[in-house]
Amino acid sequence: MGRESLPVFKQDPTPVLAILERLKNDPELYVRRSVANNLNDIAKDHPQLVIETAKKWQGESEAVDWVIRHGCRTLLRKNFLTVQTLFGYAADSPANPLVLSATIKTTATTVAIGDKLAFHYQIRFRPEAKLLVRVEYAVDYVKANGQQSRKLFKLAEKEIDGRQGLSGERQINFKDLTTRKHYPGQHNVALIVNGREVAKTAFEVV
């Protein structure tokens, strides 16, 4: 495939999907992984097309269900609500809220660049025996221009007994990396449950 042809398929990935259709149940894992990676790439520009494809493929086999799940990983992180029903996550509505209460608290109000900051979280769910949940925390990092940029990190993804709730602790590392440089200023850490922010607290990086 010539490099000049790639924008054509990015604009209209239908021919690519036709090829993926034939390969999605291949016995080789590396082929199925390639199918999933292609789906994930297509989802960045054509999320609805990938969702429709996933619905069509779903249930064909365990291998294909894995391909769908892996192929929708970016949608799960960035556009969770678009795929919530596809994967059977617990519904959430004003009339029947999934989270009854939630807290997230840092162990200090300031942290120095190069150090770590711990936080505790606690979630109380509606009292149902089986709830499929995806729990994440988001850090609003300060960028060089003073604006904030949010990054998501997964805490848990599993079926739970809502009558027991969830709680835990995690650390945020403020050591500079080649992929992330830290800047002083007010940061936030938020608790996200099934795509919805349920608690947030602020702290200062110095």
Side-chain angles (χ1 to χ4, degrees):
M1 185 185 294
R3 184 172 296 180
E4 67 279 357
S5 66
L6 291 177
V8 174
F9 293 112
K10 188 173 182 180
Q11 190 172 29
D12 179 15
T14 306
V16 178
L17 285 173
I19 297 171
L20 301 182
E21 173 86 40
R22 296 198 296 270
L23 298 175
K24 67 181 185 298
N25 229 338
D26 193 275
E28 296 290 346
L29 175 60
Y30 77 92
V31 176
R32 300 197 304 274
R33 189 181 300 277
S34 180
V35 172
N37 288 339
N38 274 273
L39 276 182
N40 189 56
D41 288 340
I42 294 169
K44 295 170 185 176
D45 296 302
H46 303 277
Q48 194 55 44
L49 184 58
V50 169
I51 291 168
E52 291 168 3
T53 300
K55 287 179 179 177
K56 185 174 68 172
W57 293 359
Q58 196 170 42
E60 185 170 320
S61 68
E62 286 187 13
V64 173
D65 284 346
W66 179 90
V67 167
I68 293 168
R69 177 79 180 202
H70 199 58
C72 289
R73 61 189 184 275
T74 295
L75 291 176
L76 280 166
R77 287 198 308 269
K78 297 185 176 180
N79 303 93
F80 178 85
L81 296 178
T82 64
V83 288
Q84 179 175 0
T85 56
L86 180 65
F87 295 112
Y89 288 94
D92 182 29
S93 69
N96 190 27
L98 173 62
V99 175
L100 302 184
S101 65
T103 58
I104 185 166
K105 297 179 179 179
T106 57
T107 54
T109 56
T110 62
V111 59
I113 294 174
D115 289 345
K116 296 178 181 179
L117 178 68
F119 67 86
H120 305 273
Y121 66 92
Q122 190 165 18
I123 312 166
R124 188 166 66 91
F125 296 94
R126 65 172 178 252
E128 290 182 17
K130 293 183 178 181
L131 295 171
L132 181 59
V133 299
R134 181 184 177 93
V135 182
E136 300 162 295
Y137 71 95
V139 180
D140 295 325
Y141 290 101
V142 173
K143 300 190 295 182
N145 62 5
Q147 300 296 310
Q148 288 184 332
S149 175
R150 174 163 285 197
K151 185 169 179 58
L152 282 171
F153 304 89
K154 188 162 67 172
L155 286 167
E157 187 168 16
K158 58 184 178 179
E159 186 176 82
I160 65 163
D161 184 339
R163 296 166 295 189
Q164 297 177 356
L166 279 180
S167 62
E169 180 179 315
R170 192 63 63 92
Q171 287 187 330
I172 309 171
N173 193 341
F174 286 93
K175 180 181 178 181
D176 283 341
L177 306 170
T178 54
T179 54
R180 183 186 303 126
K181 182 173 174 58
H182 298 93
Y183 299 92
Q186 181 179 299
H187 290 55
N188 303 310
V189 58
L191 192 59
I192 314 291
V193 179
N194 283 14
R196 183 168 70 89
E197 182 179 301
V198 296
K200 183 168 70 173
T201 190
F203 59 93
E204 199 77 16
V205 174
V206 296

